Amino acid sequence: METKILKVVRQGEAFSIPSSKSESGQTQKCSIVLRELGGSRYENEYVCTMLGVLAECRFYEGDIVAVTLRFSTREYQGQIFQEILASDIVKIN
């Protein structure tokens, strides 16, 4: 895992997905796009997934956040995909 200070570009709406870990059998999921600080729109960006209670938190364009990211890969139908999970995120401005 890696902790970074990043700027929020945009956040999608949360929606329910099946979950074997939740008592209700459902959990919340949403995507958030985060950009490294720097001054240009060409800085590195990360498209991250937020799950559970974290997915219900709302962040807005321009918010500065401290976020812990977990990077992983998975294989599906012969293709490899990278996943980035925001495991913790806190607004700092």
Side-chain angles (χ1 to χ4, degrees):
M1 283 201 248
E2 188 173 325
T3 301
K4 293 181 162 282
I5 297 176
L6 302 169
K7 183 183 281 190
V8 175
V9 176
R10 67 183 158 276
Q11 180 180 356
E13 294 297 322
F15 58 94
S16 295
I17 60 169
S19 171
S20 60
K21 296 180 181 179
S22 173
E23 289 180 18
S24 67
Q26 299 269 311
T27 192
Q28 295 292 303
K29 177 180 179 177
C30 80
S31 294
I32 188 167
V33 179
L34 303 169
R35 181 182 296 146
E36 290 183 350
L37 302 176
S40 80
R41 62 184 182 140
Y42 299 108
E43 303 299 331
N44 292 331
E45 288 188 350
Y46 305 91
V47 178
C48 308
T49 299
M50 298 191 310
L51 297 172
V53 177
L54 197 58
E56 297 172 9
C57 296
R58 225 36 227 161
F59 298 96
Y60 299 96
E61 181 179 347
D63 284 349
I64 304 298
V65 295
V67 59
T68 301
L69 304 175
R70 188 181 78 190
F71 296 86
S72 61
T73 59
R74 64 180 177 87
E75 186 175 343
Y76 179 72
Q77 296 182 344
Q79 294 185 333
I80 298 176
F81 298 91
Q82 180 175 18
E83 297 178 324
I84 305 173
L85 179 69
S87 59
D88 193 19
I89 185 168
V90 177
K91 181 178 171 182
I92 59 174
N93 70 332

Coordinates of all heavy atoms in Angstrom, one line a residue:
M1 N 0.8 -1.2 0.0 CA 0.0 0.0 0.0 C 0.9 1.2 0.0 O 2.0 1.2 0.5 CB -0.9 0.0 1.2 CG -2.1 -1.0 1.1 SD -3.4 -0.5 2.2 CE -3.3 -1.9 3.3
E2 N 0.3 2.3 -0.5 CA 1.0 3.6 -0.6 C 0.1 4.7 -0.2 O -1.0 4.8 -0.7 CB 1.5 3.7 -2.1 CG 2.4 4.8 -2.4 CD 2.9 4.8 -3.8 OE1 3.1 3.7 -4.3 OE2 3.1 5.9 -4.3
T3 N 0.6 5.6 0.6 CA -0.2 6.8 0.9 C 0.3 8.0 0.2 O 1.5 8.3 0.1 CB -0.1 7.1 2.5 OG1 -0.5 5.9 3.1 CG2 -0.9 8.2 2.9
K4 N -0.6 8.8 -0.4 CA -0.3 9.9 -1.2 C -1.2 11.1 -0.9 O -2.3 10.9 -0.4 CB -0.5 9.6 -2.7 CG 0.5 8.6 -3.3 CD 0.2 8.4 -4.7 CE 1.4 7.7 -5.4 NZ 2.5 8.6 -5.8
I5 N -0.7 12.3 -1.2 CA -1.6 13.5 -1.1 C -1.9 13.8 -2.6 O -1.0 14.1 -3.4 CB -0.9 14.6 -0.4 CG1 -0.7 14.2 1.0 CG2 -1.8 15.9 -0.5 CD1 0.1 15.3 1.9
L6 N -3.2 13.8 -2.9 CA -3.7 14.0 -4.3 C -4.9 15.0 -4.3 O -5.5 15.3 -3.3 CB -4.2 12.6 -4.8 CG -3.1 11.5 -4.8 CD1 -3.7 10.2 -5.1 CD2 -2.0 11.8 -5.8
K7 N -5.2 15.4 -5.5 CA -6.3 16.3 -5.8 C -7.4 15.5 -6.4 O -7.2 14.7 -7.4 CB -5.9 17.5 -6.7 CG -7.0 18.5 -6.9 CD -6.5 19.6 -7.8 CE -5.7 20.6 -7.1 NZ -5.4 21.8 -7.8
V8 N -8.7 15.7 -6.0 CA -9.8 15.1 -6.6 C -10.2 15.7 -7.9 O -10.3 17.0 -8.0 CB -11.1 15.2 -5.7 CG1 -12.3 14.6 -6.3 CG2 -10.8 14.5 -4.3
V9 N -10.3 14.9 -9.0 CA -10.7 15.4 -10.3 C -12.2 15.2 -10.4 O -12.9 16.1 -10.8 CB -10.0 14.6 -11.4 CG1 -10.5 15.0 -12.8 CG2 -8.5 14.8 -11.3
R10 N -12.7 14.0 -10.1 CA -14.2 13.8 -10.1 C -14.4 12.5 -9.4 O -13.6 11.6 -9.2 CB -14.7 13.7 -11.5 CG -14.3 12.6 -12.3 CD -14.8 12.7 -13.8 NE -14.0 11.9 -14.7 CZ -12.9 12.3 -15.3 NH1 -12.4 13.5 -15.1 NH2 -12.2 11.5 -16.1
Q11 N -15.7 12.3 -9.0 CA -16.2 11.1 -8.3 C -17.5 10.7 -8.8 O -18.4 11.5 -9.1 CB -16.3 11.4 -6.8 CG -16.8 10.2 -6.0 CD -16.9 10.4 -4.5 OE1 -16.6 11.5 -4.0 NE2 -17.4 9.5 -3.8
G12 N -17.6 9.4 -9.1 CA -18.9 8.9 -9.6 C -19.9 8.6 -8.5 O -19.6 8.7 -7.3
E13 N -21.1 8.3 -8.8 CA -22.2 8.0 -7.9 C -22.0 6.6 -7.3 O -21.5 5.7 -8.0 CB -23.5 8.1 -8.5 CG -23.9 9.5 -8.9 CD -24.0 10.5 -7.8 OE1 -24.5 10.1 -6.7 OE2 -23.6 11.6 -8.0
A14 N -22.3 6.4 -6.0 CA -22.2 5.1 -5.4 C -23.4 4.2 -5.9 O -24.5 4.7 -6.1 CB -22.2 5.2 -3.9
F15 N -23.1 2.9 -6.0 CA -24.1 2.0 -6.4 C -23.9 0.7 -5.6 O -22.8 0.4 -5.1 CB -24.2 1.7 -7.9 CG -22.9 1.2 -8.5 CD1 -22.7 -0.1 -8.7 CD2 -21.9 2.1 -8.9 CE1 -21.5 -0.6 -9.2 CE2 -20.7 1.7 -9.4 CZ -20.5 0.3 -9.6
S16 N -24.9 -0.2 -5.5 CA -24.8 -1.4 -4.7 C -24.3 -2.5 -5.6 O -24.6 -2.6 -6.8 CB -26.2 -1.8 -4.2 OG -26.6 -0.9 -3.3
I17 N -23.4 -3.4 -5.0 CA -22.9 -4.6 -5.6 C -23.1 -5.7 -4.6 O -23.1 -5.5 -3.4 CB -21.4 -4.4 -6.1 CG1 -20.5 -4.1 -4.8 CG2 -21.3 -3.4 -7.1 CD1 -19.0 -4.2 -5.1
P18 N -23.1 -7.0 -5.1 CA -23.2 -8.1 -4.2 C -21.9 -8.3 -3.4 O -20.8 -8.0 -3.9 CB -23.3 -9.3 -5.2 CG -23.7 -8.8 -6.5 CD -23.2 -7.3 -6.5
S19 N -22.0 -8.7 -2.2 CA -20.9 -8.8 -1.3 C -21.1 -10.0 -0.3 O -22.1 -10.0 0.4 CB -20.6 -7.6 -0.5 OG -19.6 -7.8 0.5
S20 N -20.2 -10.9 -0.3 CA -20.3 -12.0 0.6 C -19.8 -11.6 2.0 O -20.1 -12.3 3.0 CB -19.5 -13.2 0.1 OG -18.1 -12.9 0.0
K21 N -19.1 -10.5 2.1 CA -18.6 -10.0 3.4 C -19.6 -9.2 4.2 O -19.4 -8.9 5.4 CB -17.3 -9.2 3.2 CG -16.2 -10.0 2.6 CD -15.0 -9.2 2.4 CE -13.8 -10.0 1.8 NZ -12.6 -9.2 1.6
S22 N -20.7 -8.7 3.6 CA -21.7 -7.9 4.2 C -22.8 -8.7 4.7 O -23.2 -9.7 4.1 CB -22.2 -6.8 3.2 OG -23.2 -6.1 3.7
E23 N -23.4 -8.3 5.9 CA -24.5 -9.0 6.4 C -25.7 -8.9 5.5 O -26.5 -9.9 5.4 CB -24.9 -8.3 7.8 CG -23.9 -8.6 8.9 CD -24.3 -8.0 10.2 OE1 -25.5 -7.7 10.4 OE2 -23.5 -7.9 11.1
S24 N -25.9 -7.8 4.8 CA -27.0 -7.6 3.9 C -26.8 -8.3 2.5 O -27.7 -8.4 1.7 CB -27.3 -6.1 3.7 OG -26.3 -5.5 3.0
G25 N -25.6 -8.7 2.3 CA -25.3 -9.3 1.0 C -25.0 -8.3 -0.1 O -24.8 -8.6 -1.2
Q26 N -25.0 -7.0 0.3 CA -24.7 -5.9 -0.6 C -23.7 -4.9 0.0 O -23.7 -4.8 1.2 CB -26.0 -5.1 -0.9 CG -27.1 -5.9 -1.6 CD -27.0 -5.9 -3.1 OE1 -26.9 -4.8 -3.6 NE2 -27.1 -7.0 -3.7
T27 N -22.9 -4.2 -0.8 CA -22.1 -3.2 -0.4 C -22.1 -2.1 -1.4 O -22.5 -2.3 -2.5 CB -20.6 -3.7 -0.1 OG1 -19.9 -2.7 0.7 CG2 -19.9 -4.0 -1.3
Q28 N -21.6 -0.9 -1.0 CA -21.6 0.2 -1.9 C -20.2 0.3 -2.6 O -19.2 -0.1 -2.1 CB -21.8 1.6 -1.2 CG -23.2 1.7 -0.6 CD -24.2 1.8 -1.6 OE1 -24.1 2.7 -2.4 NE2 -25.2 0.9 -1.6
K29 N -20.2 0.8 -3.9 CA -19.0 0.9 -4.7 C -19.1 2.2 -5.5 O -20.2 2.5 -6.0 CB -18.9 -0.3 -5.6 CG -17.7 -0.2 -6.5 CD -17.6 -1.4 -7.4 CE -16.4 -1.4 -8.4 NZ -16.3 -2.6 -9.2
C30 N -18.0 2.9 -5.6 CA -17.9 4.1 -6.6 C -16.5 4.2 -7.0 O -15.6 3.7 -6.4 CB -18.5 5.3 -5.9 SG -17.4 6.2 -4.8
S31 N -16.3 5.0 -8.1 CA -15.0 5.3 -8.6 C -14.7 6.8 -8.3 O -15.6 7.6 -8.2 CB -15.0 5.1 -10.1 OG -15.1 3.8 -10.4
I32 N -13.4 7.0 -8.1 CA -12.9 8.4 -7.9 C -11.7 8.6 -8.7 O -10.8 7.7 -8.8 CB -12.7 8.7 -6.4 CG1 -12.4 10.2 -6.2 CG2 -11.6 7.8 -5.8 CD1 -12.5 10.6 -4.8
V33 N -11.5 9.7 -9.4 CA -10.3 10.0 -10.2 C -9.5 11.0 -9.4 O -10.0 12.1 -9.0 CB -10.7 10.6 -11.6 CG1 -9.4 10.9 -12.3 CG2 -11.5 9.6 -12.3
L34 N -8.2 10.7 -9.1 CA -7.3 11.5 -8.3 C -6.1 11.9 -9.1 O -5.6 11.1 -9.9 CB -6.9 10.8 -7.0 CG -8.1 10.3 -6.2 CD1 -7.6 9.3 -5.1 CD2 -8.8 11.5 -5.5
R35 N -5.6 13.1 -9.0 CA -4.4 13.6 -9.7 C -3.3 14.0 -8.7 O -3.6 14.7 -7.7 CB -4.8 14.8 -10.6 CG -3.7 15.3 -11.4 CD -4.1 16.5 -12.3 NE -5.1 16.1 -13.2 CZ -6.1 16.9 -13.6 NH1 -6.2 18.1 -13.1 NH2 -7.0 16.5 -14.5
E36 N -2.1 13.7 -9.1 CA -1.0 14.2 -8.3 C -0.9 15.7 -8.4 O -1.3 16.3 -9.4 CB 0.3 13.6 -8.8 CG 0.4 12.1 -8.5 CD 1.8 11.5 -8.9 OE1 2.5 12.1 -9.6 OE2 2.0 10.3 -8.6
L37 N -0.4 16.3 -7.3 CA -0.3 17.8 -7.3 C 0.9 18.2 -8.2 O 1.8 17.5 -8.4 CB 0.0 18.2 -5.8 CG -1.0 17.8 -4.8 CD1 -0.5 18.3 -3.4 CD2 -2.4 18.4 -5.1
G38 N 0.7 19.4 -8.8 CA 1.8 19.8 -9.6 C 1.5 21.1 -10.3 O 2.3 22.0 -10.5
G39 N 0.3 21.3 -10.8 CA 0.1 22.6 -11.5 C -0.4 22.4 -12.9 O -0.8 23.4 -13.5
S40 N -0.3 21.2 -13.4 CA -0.9 21.0 -14.8 C -1.8 19.9 -14.8 O -1.8 19.0 -13.9 CB 0.3 20.8 -15.7 OG 0.7 19.4 -15.7
R41 N -2.6 19.8 -15.8 CA -3.6 18.7 -15.9 C -2.9 17.5 -16.5 O -3.5 16.4 -16.7 CB -4.7 19.1 -16.8 CG -4.4 19.5 -18.2 CD -5.5 19.9 -19.0 NE -5.1 20.2 -20.3 CZ -5.8 19.9 -21.4 NH1 -7.0 19.4 -21.3 NH2 -5.3 20.2 -22.6
Y42 N -1.6 17.5 -16.7 CA -0.8 16.4 -17.2 C -0.1 15.6 -16.2 O 0.7 14.7 -16.5 CB 0.1 16.8 -18.3 CG -0.6 17.5 -19.5 CD1 -0.5 18.9 -19.6 CD2 -1.4 16.8 -20.3 CE1 -1.2 19.5 -20.7 CE2 -2.0 17.4 -21.4 CZ -1.9 18.8 -21.5 OH -2.6 19.4 -22.6
E43 N -0.4 15.9 -14.9 CA 0.2 15.1 -13.8 C -0.4 13.7 -13.8 O -1.4 13.5 -14.4 CB -0.1 15.8 -12.4 CG 0.4 17.2 -12.3 CD 1.9 17.3 -12.5 OE1 2.7 16.4 -12.2 OE2 2.4 18.4 -13.0
N44 N 0.3 12.7 -13.1 CA -0.3 11.4 -13.1 C -1.6 11.4 -12.4 O -1.9 12.1 -11.5 CB 0.7 10.5 -12.2 CG 2.0 10.3 -12.9 OD1 2.1 10.3 -14.1 ND2 3.1 10.1 -12.1
E45 N -2.5 10.5 -13.0 CA -3.9 10.4 -12.5 C -4.1 8.9 -12.1 O -3.6 8.0 -12.8 CB -4.9 10.8 -13.5 CG -5.0 12.3 -13.6 CD -6.2 12.8 -14.5 OE1 -6.8 12.0 -15.1 OE2 -6.4 14.0 -14.5
Y46 N -5.0 8.7 -11.1 CA -5.4 7.4 -10.7 C -6.9 7.2 -10.7 O -7.6 8.1 -10.2 CB -4.9 7.1 -9.3 CG -3.4 7.3 -9.1 CD1 -2.9 8.6 -8.7 CD2 -2.5 6.3 -9.4 CE1 -1.5 8.8 -8.6 CE2 -1.1 6.5 -9.2 CZ -0.6 7.7 -8.8 OH 0.7 7.9 -8.7
V47 N -7.4 6.2 -11.3 CA -8.8 5.9 -11.2 C -9.0 4.8 -10.2 O -8.5 3.7 -10.4 CB -9.4 5.4 -12.6 CG1 -10.9 5.0 -12.4 CG2 -9.2 6.4 -13.7
C48 N -9.6 5.1 -9.1 CA -9.6 4.3 -7.9 C -11.0 3.8 -7.6 O -12.0 4.5 -7.9 CB -9.1 5.0 -6.7 SG -7.5 5.7 -6.9
T49 N -11.1 2.7 -6.9 CA -12.4 2.2 -6.5 C -12.5 2.4 -5.0 O -11.5 2.2 -4.2 CB -12.5 0.7 -6.7 OG1 -12.4 0.5 -8.1 CG2 -13.8 0.1 -6.2
M50 N -13.7 2.9 -4.5 CA -13.9 3.0 -3.1 C -15.1 2.1 -2.8 O -16.1 2.0 -3.5 CB -14.3 4.4 -2.7 CG -13.2 5.4 -3.0 SD -13.4 7.1 -2.3 CE -15.0 7.5 -2.8
L51 N -15.0 1.3 -1.7 CA -16.0 0.3 -1.3 C -16.6 0.6 0.1 O -15.9 1.2 0.9 CB -15.4 -1.1 -1.3 CG -14.8 -1.6 -2.6 CD1 -14.1 -2.9 -2.4 CD2 -16.0 -1.8 -3.6
G52 N -17.8 0.1 0.3 CA -18.4 0.1 1.6 C -18.8 1.5 2.0 O -19.2 2.4 1.2
V53 N -18.5 1.8 3.3 CA -18.9 3.1 3.9 C -18.1 4.2 3.2 O -18.6 5.3 3.0 CB -18.6 3.1 5.4 CG1 -18.8 4.5 6.0 CG2 -19.4 2.1 6.1
L54 N -16.8 3.9 2.8 CA -16.0 4.9 2.1 C -16.6 5.4 0.8 O -16.6 6.6 0.4 CB -14.6 4.3 1.8 CG -13.5 5.2 1.5 CD1 -13.3 6.2 2.6 CD2 -12.2 4.5 1.2
A55 N -17.3 4.5 0.1 CA -18.0 4.8 -1.2 C -19.1 5.8 -0.9 O -19.5 6.5 -1.9 CB -18.5 3.6 -1.8
E56 N -19.7 5.9 0.2 CA -20.8 6.8 0.5 C -20.3 8.2 0.9 O -21.1 9.1 0.9 CB -21.6 6.2 1.7 CG -22.3 4.9 1.3 CD -22.9 4.2 2.5 OE1 -23.0 4.9 3.6 OE2 -23.4 3.1 2.3
C57 N -19.0 8.4 1.1 CA -18.4 9.7 1.4 C -18.3 10.5 0.0 O -18.1 9.9 -1.0 CB -17.0 9.6 1.9 SG -16.9 8.8 3.5
R58 N -18.6 11.8 0.1 CA -18.6 12.6 -1.1 C -17.4 13.6 -1.1 O -17.1 14.3 -0.1 CB -19.9 13.5 -1.0 CG -20.7 13.6 -2.2 CD -20.8 12.5 -3.1 NE -20.6 13.1 -4.5 CZ -20.3 12.4 -5.5 NH1 -20.2 11.1 -5.5 NH2 -20.1 12.9 -6.7
F59 N -16.6 13.6 -2.2 CA -15.5 14.5 -2.4 C -15.8 15.2 -3.7 O -16.5 14.8 -4.5 CB -14.2 13.7 -2.5 CG -13.9 12.9 -1.2 CD1 -14.2 11.6 -1.1 CD2 -13.3 13.6 -0.2 CE1 -13.9 10.9 0.1 CE2 -13.0 12.9 1.0 CZ -13.3 11.5 1.1
Y60 N -15.3 16.5 -3.7 CA -15.6 17.3 -4.8 C -14.3 17.8 -5.6 O -13.2 17.8 -5.0 CB -16.3 18.6 -4.3 CG -17.6 18.2 -3.7 CD1 -17.7 18.0 -2.3 CD2 -18.8 17.9 -4.4 CE1 -18.9 17.6 -1.7 CE2 -20.0 17.5 -3.8 CZ -20.0 17.4 -2.5 OH -21.2 16.9 -1.9
E61 N -14.5 18.1 -6.8 CA -13.4 18.6 -7.7 C -12.6 19.6 -6.9 O -13.1 20.6 -6.4 CB -13.9 19.1 -9.0 CG -12.8 19.6 -9.9 CD -13.4 20.1 -11.2 OE1 -14.6 19.9 -11.6 OE2 -12.6 20.8 -12.0
G62 N -11.3 19.4 -6.9 CA -10.4 20.4 -6.3 C -10.0 20.1 -4.8 O -9.1 20.6 -4.3
D63 N -10.8 19.2 -4.2 CA -10.5 18.8 -2.8 C -9.1 18.1 -2.8 O -8.7 17.4 -3.7 CB -11.5 17.7 -2.3 CG -12.8 18.3 -1.9 OD1 -13.0 19.6 -1.8 OD2 -13.8 17.5 -1.6
I64 N -8.3 18.5 -1.8 CA -7.0 17.9 -1.5 C -7.2 16.8 -0.5 O -7.8 17.0 0.6 CB -6.0 18.9 -1.0 CG1 -5.8 20.0 -2.0 CG2 -4.6 18.2 -0.8 CD1 -5.4 19.7 -3.4
V65 N -6.8 15.5 -0.8 CA -7.0 14.4 0.1 C -5.7 13.6 0.4 O -4.8 13.6 -0.5 CB -8.1 13.4 -0.5 CG1 -9.4 14.1 -0.6 CG2 -7.7 12.9 -1.9
A66 N -5.7 13.0 1.5 CA -4.6 12.1 1.8 C -5.3 10.7 1.6 O -6.4 10.4 2.2 CB -4.1 12.2 3.3
V67 N -4.7 9.9 0.8 CA -5.3 8.6 0.4 C -4.3 7.5 0.5 O -3.2 7.6 0.1 CB -6.0 8.7 -1.0 CG1 -5.0 9.1 -2.0 CG2 -6.8 7.5 -1.3
T68 N -4.8 6.3 1.0 CA -4.0 5.1 1.0 C -4.5 4.2 -0.2 O -5.7 3.9 -0.2 CB -4.1 4.4 2.3 OG1 -3.6 5.2 3.4 CG2 -3.2 3.1 2.3
L69 N -3.6 3.9 -1.1 CA -3.9 3.2 -2.3 C -3.4 1.8 -2.2 O -2.2 1.6 -1.8 CB -3.4 3.9 -3.5 CG -3.8 5.3 -3.7 CD1 -3.1 5.9 -5.0 CD2 -5.3 5.4 -3.9
R70 N -4.2 0.8 -2.6 CA -3.7 -0.6 -2.7 C -3.7 -1.0 -4.2 O -4.8 -0.9 -4.8 CB -4.6 -1.6 -1.9 CG -4.0 -3.0 -1.9 CD -4.8 -3.9 -1.1 NE -5.9 -4.3 -2.0 CZ -7.0 -4.9 -1.6 NH1 -7.1 -5.3 -0.4 NH2 -7.9 -5.3 -2.5
F71 N -2.6 -1.3 -4.8 CA -2.5 -1.7 -6.2 C -2.5 -3.2 -6.3 O -1.8 -3.9 -5.6 CB -1.2 -1.2 -6.8 CG -1.1 0.3 -6.8 CD1 -0.6 1.0 -5.7 CD2 -1.4 1.0 -7.9 CE1 -0.5 2.4 -5.7 CE2 -1.4 2.4 -7.9 CZ -0.9 3.1 -6.8
S72 N -3.3 -3.7 -7.2 CA -3.3 -5.2 -7.5 C -3.6 -5.4 -9.0 O -4.0 -4.5 -9.7 CB -4.3 -5.8 -6.6 OG -5.6 -5.4 -6.9
T73 N -3.4 -6.7 -9.4 CA -3.8 -7.1 -10.7 C -4.6 -8.3 -10.7 O -4.6 -9.1 -9.7 CB -2.5 -7.3 -11.6 OG1 -1.8 -8.4 -11.0 CG2 -1.7 -6.1 -11.8
R74 N -5.4 -8.5 -11.7 CA -6.2 -9.8 -11.8 C -6.3 -10.2 -13.3 O -6.2 -9.3 -14.1 CB -7.6 -9.6 -11.2 CG -8.5 -8.6 -11.9 CD -9.8 -8.5 -11.2 NE -10.7 -7.5 -11.8 CZ -11.4 -7.8 -12.9 NH1 -11.5 -8.9 -13.4 NH2 -12.1 -6.8 -13.4
E75 N -6.5 -11.4 -13.5 CA -6.6 -11.9 -14.8 C -8.1 -12.3 -15.1 O -8.7 -12.9 -14.2 CB -5.8 -13.2 -15.1 CG -5.8 -13.6 -16.5 CD -4.8 -14.8 -16.8 OE1 -3.9 -15.0 -15.9 OE2 -4.9 -15.4 -17.8
Y76 N -8.6 -11.9 -16.2 CA -10.0 -12.2 -16.6 C -10.0 -12.5 -18.1 O -9.6 -11.7 -18.9 CB -10.9 -11.1 -16.2 CG -12.4 -11.3 -16.6 CD1 -13.2 -12.2 -15.9 CD2 -12.9 -10.6 -17.7 CE1 -14.5 -12.4 -16.3 CE2 -14.3 -10.8 -18.0 CZ -15.0 -11.7 -17.3 OH -16.3 -11.9 -17.7
Q77 N -10.4 -13.7 -18.4 CA -10.5 -14.2 -19.8 C -9.2 -13.9 -20.6 O -9.3 -13.4 -21.7 CB -11.7 -13.5 -20.5 CG -13.0 -13.9 -19.9 CD -14.2 -13.3 -20.6 OE1 -14.1 -12.4 -21.4 NE2 -15.4 -13.9 -20.4
G78 N -8.1 -14.2 -20.0 CA -6.8 -14.1 -20.7 C -6.2 -12.7 -20.7 O -5.1 -12.5 -21.2
Q79 N -6.9 -11.8 -20.1 CA -6.4 -10.4 -20.1 C -6.1 -10.0 -18.6 O -6.7 -10.5 -17.7 CB -7.4 -9.4 -20.7 CG -7.6 -9.6 -22.1 CD -8.6 -8.5 -22.7 OE1 -9.4 -7.9 -21.9 NE2 -8.4 -8.2 -23.9
I80 N -5.1 -9.2 -18.5 CA -4.7 -8.8 -17.1 C -5.1 -7.3 -16.9 O -4.9 -6.5 -17.8 CB -3.2 -8.9 -16.9 CG1 -2.8 -10.4 -17.0 CG2 -2.7 -8.4 -15.6 CD1 -1.3 -10.7 -17.0
F81 N -5.7 -7.1 -15.8 CA -6.2 -5.7 -15.4 C -5.6 -5.3 -14.1 O -5.4 -6.1 -13.2 CB -7.8 -5.8 -15.2 CG -8.5 -6.1 -16.5 CD1 -8.8 -7.5 -16.7 CD2 -8.9 -5.2 -17.4 CE1 -9.5 -7.8 -17.9 CE2 -9.6 -5.5 -18.5 CZ -9.9 -6.9 -18.8
Q82 N -5.3 -4.0 -14.1 CA -4.8 -3.4 -12.8 C -6.0 -2.8 -12.1 O -6.8 -2.1 -12.7 CB -3.7 -2.3 -13.1 CG -3.2 -1.7 -11.8 CD -2.1 -0.8 -12.0 OE1 -1.9 -0.3 -13.0 NE2 -1.3 -0.5 -10.9
E83 N -6.0 -3.0 -10.8 CA -7.0 -2.4 -9.9 C -6.3 -1.5 -8.9 O -5.3 -1.9 -8.4 CB -7.9 -3.5 -9.2 CG -8.6 -4.3 -10.2 CD -9.4 -5.4 -9.5 OE1 -8.9 -5.9 -8.5 OE2 -10.5 -5.7 -10.0
I84 N -7.0 -0.4 -8.6 CA -6.5 0.5 -7.5 C -7.6 0.7 -6.6 O -8.6 1.3 -6.9 CB -6.0 1.9 -8.1 CG1 -4.9 1.6 -9.2 CG2 -5.4 2.7 -6.9 CD1 -4.5 2.9 -9.9
L85 N -7.4 0.3 -5.3 CA -8.4 0.4 -4.3 C -8.0 1.5 -3.3 O -6.9 1.5 -2.8 CB -8.6 -0.9 -3.5 CG -9.6 -0.9 -2.4 CD1 -11.0 -0.7 -3.0 CD2 -9.5 -2.1 -1.6
A86 N -8.9 2.5 -3.1 CA -8.6 3.5 -2.1 C -9.1 2.9 -0.8 O -10.3 2.8 -0.6 CB -9.4 4.8 -2.4
S87 N -8.2 2.5 0.1 CA -8.6 1.8 1.3 C -8.9 2.8 2.4 O -9.5 2.5 3.4 CB -7.6 0.8 1.7 OG -6.3 1.4 1.9
D88 N -8.4 4.0 2.3 CA -8.6 5.1 3.3 C -8.4 6.4 2.6 O -7.5 6.6 1.8 CB -7.7 5.0 4.5 CG -8.1 5.8 5.7 OD1 -9.3 6.2 5.7 OD2 -7.3 6.1 6.6
I89 N -9.3 7.4 2.9 CA -9.2 8.7 2.2 C -9.8 9.8 3.2 O -10.8 9.6 3.8 CB -9.9 8.7 0.8 CG1 -9.7 10.0 0.1 CG2 -11.4 8.4 1.0 CD1 -10.2 10.0 -1.3
V90 N -9.0 10.8 3.3 CA -9.4 11.9 4.3 C -9.1 13.3 3.6 O -8.0 13.5 3.0 CB -8.5 11.9 5.5 CG1 -8.8 13.0 6.5 CG2 -8.7 10.5 6.2
K91 N -10.1 14.1 3.6 CA -10.0 15.5 3.0 C -9.1 16.3 4.0 O -9.3 16.3 5.2 CB -11.4 16.1 2.9 CG -11.3 17.5 2.3 CD -12.7 18.1 2.2 CE -12.6 19.5 1.8 NZ -14.0 20.2 1.7
I92 N -8.1 17.0 3.4 CA -7.2 17.8 4.2 C -7.2 19.3 4.0 O -6.4 20.0 4.5 CB -5.7 17.3 4.1 CG1 -5.2 17.3 2.7 CG2 -5.6 15.9 4.7 CD1 -3.8 16.9 2.6
N93 N -8.1 19.8 3.1 CA -8.2 21.2 2.9 C -9.5 21.8 3.2 O -10.5 21.1 3.4 CB -7.8 21.6 1.5 CG -8.8 21.2 0.4 OD1 -9.6 20.3 0.6 ND2 -8.8 22.0 -0.7

